[in-house]
Amino acid sequence: MNNKNFFSCTIFAGLLVAWYLLSFNANQYIFPSPIKIALAFIEVFSQITFIFDSLSSLLRLIIGFFLGLIPAIVLGLLIGQTNKDFSVIGKSFESLRFVPPLALVPLTILWFGIGEFSKYIIIAWTVFFPVYISILLSSKNMDKKIIWVAKSFNATKKQVLLKVVLPYLTPSIVSGARVGMGLAFSVIIAAELVGAFSGLGFRLWFFQSVFRVDLMLVYIALLIFYGFVLDRFLKLIGSKLFFWGEKSEQ
Amino acid sequence: MNNEIEIKNLTKDYATDKKKTKALDKASFNIKSGDFVSIVGASGCGKSTLLNCIAGFIKQGSGTIKFSRQNEKIGFVFQNRELFPWLNTFENIEFGLKLNNQTRSKKTINGLIAKVGLKGFEKSYPNELSIGMQQRVGIARALATKPRIILMDEPFSSVDYLTRIKLQELLMHIWEASKPSVIFVTHDIDEAIFLGETLLIMSERPGKIIKEIKIDLPRPRTTKTLTSKRFNQIKSKVLKILNAN
């Protein structure tokens, strides 16, 4: 074990001890001791509910993610490559990003009901703008000479878009998607707090209503885990897609 | 020899919000089939603009560019290489062939790689290559589709002196072997004379062709050519013309 690891382990252990001492005199419902939380972990993982809750949240997240990602890529590519004609539309479109996704929750419930579709729309909305804006920005900075290369081989517009522009924009698409995923993760949990009957967010609210702070903390730990895994997953996909930033593996 | 490209009264303005800059002013000249034409001129005289017009990257303001054959394939070598960072050496060179659905065997491309001296670097990505090697890839990529016209925009301006001489020799061998029509734009007078059969001198902005000189240096040209008496005679003549303008 190196010094850095040792240091962070010491801090972690220190915090745990401090928590334990603080929880000694506290109300166990409001501020449970580490031992009680450890028992809560066992309680959660010995039942199947947490799997349903996770699946339900993650499914919303993933479906909504792609519903936002794909239009963002298509529109970003098209609007990013047109100079004047579409930029007006693109600009007015951009202003929609100032609508906070959570402000759409009451609206989507009225328009689309309380079911899954409302959640997809909210997540898609959240993911769309970081990707779309990121594509527009790097389209703006793109050196047109790289397109001229394709033109010198008489490339069609479609070939330019798919063989040059799309690979060029891949890194910004991935970084936009990572930002979008991070936002979507917090948005889905918040959205589930008010308008859902399943999911991690819904369950958190439910545990709160029955004063099970220990179980709430276990679910928060789950959220940390999922957030981390999703981000690393996107990062991995990104590094596979733009490997040229690093040395080749062979 | 017949004319491969005829250029007449080419004019190009660049307009910004504040002012209009004339880049080219009635530039006229012909490129003979199989000729190696060097175009030399001061920085910012419109040489690159001229080349970009010929390649069709930008539209000229007025004037005509006439090719002897319609839809002639061209190869373009860029000053900053402009390689695709997501493709390795082999794939970069193959790029134009794939776009045109031209099928040339793996062997031909590997042959081209060997010809430009990049054997063993087929799988390397541009960021793993030196600038000189990157430009070898750039040249091979332009040659891959077997174009009859090759346009080069200061391709050797960002490499060191010794690498430049090596690349110049490589280019000369390629030209001597298959005699494509080459237009080579540079601000380096030595390079223009050393490589070219015909030398076109451009005025300062707005650019036009002010003088055409035949370069009668014997071939094959070597580093010795660079220090020969005839070379220096031509060079002083070019300098005189450039300074007079």
Side-chain angles (χ1 to χ4, degrees):
Chain A
M1 194 189 286
N2 61 29
N3 262 343
K4 217 167 143 191
N5 276 344
F6 179 73
F7 191 61
S8 50
C9 280
T10 318
I11 288 182
F12 186 72
L15 281 173
L16 218 57
V17 170
W19 189 326
Y20 186 69
L21 293 175
L22 278 173
S23 69
F24 229 68
N25 285 324
N27 181 340
Q28 283 299 300
Y29 285 112
I30 302 297
F31 198 76
S33 73
I35 294 167
K36 194 154 191 256
I37 295 168
L39 291 173
F41 264 98
I42 296 169
E43 186 182 336
V44 165
F45 289 120
S46 62
Q47 287 167 2
I48 206 162
T49 320
F50 90 96
I51 296 179
F52 285 127
D53 287 337
S54 305
L55 280 180
S56 148
S57 290
L58 291 176
L59 208 64
R60 284 170 190 152
L61 205 58
I62 289 163
I63 294 174
F65 176 77
F66 283 106
L67 282 179
L69 181 74
I70 292 162
I73 293 175
V74 173
L75 276 173
L77 272 182
L78 293 177
I79 290 175
Q81 292 310 304
T82 41
N83 294 333
K84 285 187 185 134
D85 314 307
F86 279 104
S87 66
V88 181
I89 303 172
K91 282 268 162 56
S92 52
F93 202 58
E94 213 183 303
S95 61
L96 287 177
R97 83 185 152 109
F98 297 111
V99 178
L102 284 176
L104 293 176
V105 172
L107 193 64
T108 51
I109 289 175
L110 275 185
W111 280 356
F112 308 111
I114 204 158
E116 296 303 296
F117 191 67
S118 300
K119 275 81 189 176
Y120 300 155
I121 295 289
I122 292 161
I123 294 306
W125 186 277
T126 314
V127 172
F128 179 87
F129 287 101
V131 179
Y132 177 71
I133 305 286
S134 160
I135 290 178
L136 286 197
L137 283 179
S138 27
S139 302
K140 218 185 219 169
N141 296 330
M142 184 169 172
D143 188 352
K144 56 183 180 290
K145 282 193 180 147
I146 205 159
I147 291 175
W148 288 359
V149 175
K151 274 195 176 167
S152 78
F153 295 117
N154 296 321
T156 61
K157 275 195 173 137
K158 192 178 152 200
Q159 283 175 323
V160 169
L161 218 52
L162 294 181
K163 303 278 173 177
V164 181
V165 178
L166 187 60
Y168 173 87
L169 292 176
T170 306
S172 23
I173 292 173
V174 174
S175 66
R178 276 179 77 188
V179 173
M181 183 54 107
L183 288 172
F185 193 66
S186 23
V187 166
I188 189 62
I189 299 306
E192 283 172 355
L193 290 180
V194 285
F197 298 111
S198 65
L200 296 165
F202 163 77
R203 196 65 63 194
L204 264 174
W205 200 238
F206 173 76
F207 287 150
Q208 195 249 18
S209 68
V210 295
F211 281 98
R212 290 299 301 269
V213 175
D214 51 342
L215 295 178
M216 289 173 79
L217 289 170
V218 174
Y219 265 57
I220 287 168
L222 266 180
L223 290 180
I224 294 174
F225 173 73
Y226 289 136
F228 179 77
V229 168
L230 283 172
D231 186 67
R232 280 305 143 101
F233 183 64
L234 277 178
K235 199 179 169 187
L236 187 78
I237 291 178
S239 64
K240 284 271 179 273
L241 283 176
F242 51 98
F243 50 86
W244 67 86
E246 300 143 26
K247 292 273 174 212
S248 70
E249 300 95 312
Q250 290 142 355
Chain B
M1 273 192 288
N2 51 337
N3 288 335
E4 187 93 69
I5 311 173
E6 289 176 17
I7 289 153
K8 233 179 231 149
N9 294 328
L10 208 62
T11 303
K12 173 78 188 170
D13 299 322
Y14 282 114
T16 58
D17 294 337
K18 280 174 193 158
K19 60 174 185 179
K20 219 163 112 180
T21 320
K22 213 166 198 159
L24 288 174
D25 185 23
K26 292 187 178 166
S28 300
F29 58 97
N30 298 327
I31 305 288
K32 293 219 164 16
S33 182
D35 199 1
F36 194 120
V37 179
S38 299
I39 299 179
V40 75
S43 290
C45 74
K47 314 183 287 283
S48 293
T49 306
L50 180 64
L51 215 55
N52 292 338
C53 285
I54 297 172
F57 297 153
I58 54 178
K59 274 215 173 76
Q60 67 264 34
S62 64
T64 55
I65 302 168
K66 227 165 82 191
F67 291 87
S68 66
R69 279 171 299 232
Q70 289 273 301
N71 298 322
E72 185 67 81
K73 262 183 284 182
I74 58 159
F76 201 103
V77 182
F78 293 85
Q79 179 177 7
N80 294 324
R81 283 87 53 204
E82 310 299 343
L83 301 179
F84 301 115
W86 56 88
L87 300 179
N88 65 28
T89 298
F90 188 94
E91 293 161 339
N92 260 296
I93 295 172
E94 202 188 18
F95 182 81
L97 293 170
K98 270 196 162 170
L99 278 194
N100 297 335
N101 290 321
Q102 257 174 292
T103 41
R104 278 178 78 181
S105 63
K106 231 177 153 169
K107 223 170 126 191
T108 340
I109 293 172
N110 280 324
L112 200 54
I113 288 173
K115 199 162 149 191
V116 296
L118 286 174
K119 221 170 174 178
F121 293 96
E122 292 86 351
K123 293 247 164 76
S124 303
Y125 287 87
N127 67 340
E128 299 168 313
L129 301 173
S130 69
I131 290 175
M133 288 160 97
Q134 287 178 15
Q135 197 52 285
R136 286 168 192 267
V137 180
I139 292 170
R141 178 176 65 184
L143 291 174
T145 53
K146 292 201 167 160
R148 290 293 309 145
I149 300 169
I150 297 171
L151 308 176
M152 305 182 93
D153 185 10
E154 306 199 30
F156 306 144
S157 63
S158 45
V159 296
D160 63 272
Y161 188 74
L162 288 175
T163 311
R164 188 182 309 182
I165 289 178
K166 274 197 189 130
L167 288 170
Q168 286 167 352
E169 279 174 344
L170 170 72
L171 177 60
M172 220 141 59
H173 289 145
I174 289 166
W175 179 73
E176 280 163 8
S178 56
K179 289 280 167 84
S181 309
V182 176
I183 306 180
F184 187 99
V185 159
T186 180
H187 60 256
D188 183 332
I189 298 169
D190 285 23
E191 183 173 70
I193 299 169
F194 180 61
L195 290 170
E197 283 290 288
T198 306
L199 180 67
L200 298 177
I201 302 175
M202 268 181 102
S203 66
E204 279 185 33
R205 201 168 50 209
K208 58 168 103 177
I209 305 297
I210 47 174
K211 184 83 184 170
E212 179 172 335
I213 299 172
K214 286 276 159 217
I215 299 166
D216 49 11
L217 293 168
R219 287 187 188 267
R221 295 175 189 169
T222 62
T223 39
K224 270 190 189 155
T225 316
L226 283 169
T227 48
S228 68
K229 205 176 143 202
R230 184 74 192 122
F231 184 90
N232 282 321
Q233 282 173 344
I234 297 171
K235 188 175 170 182
S236 59
K237 191 172 159 191
V238 174
L239 279 173
K240 210 184 264 172
I241 295 166
L242 276 171
N243 283 333
N245 275 268

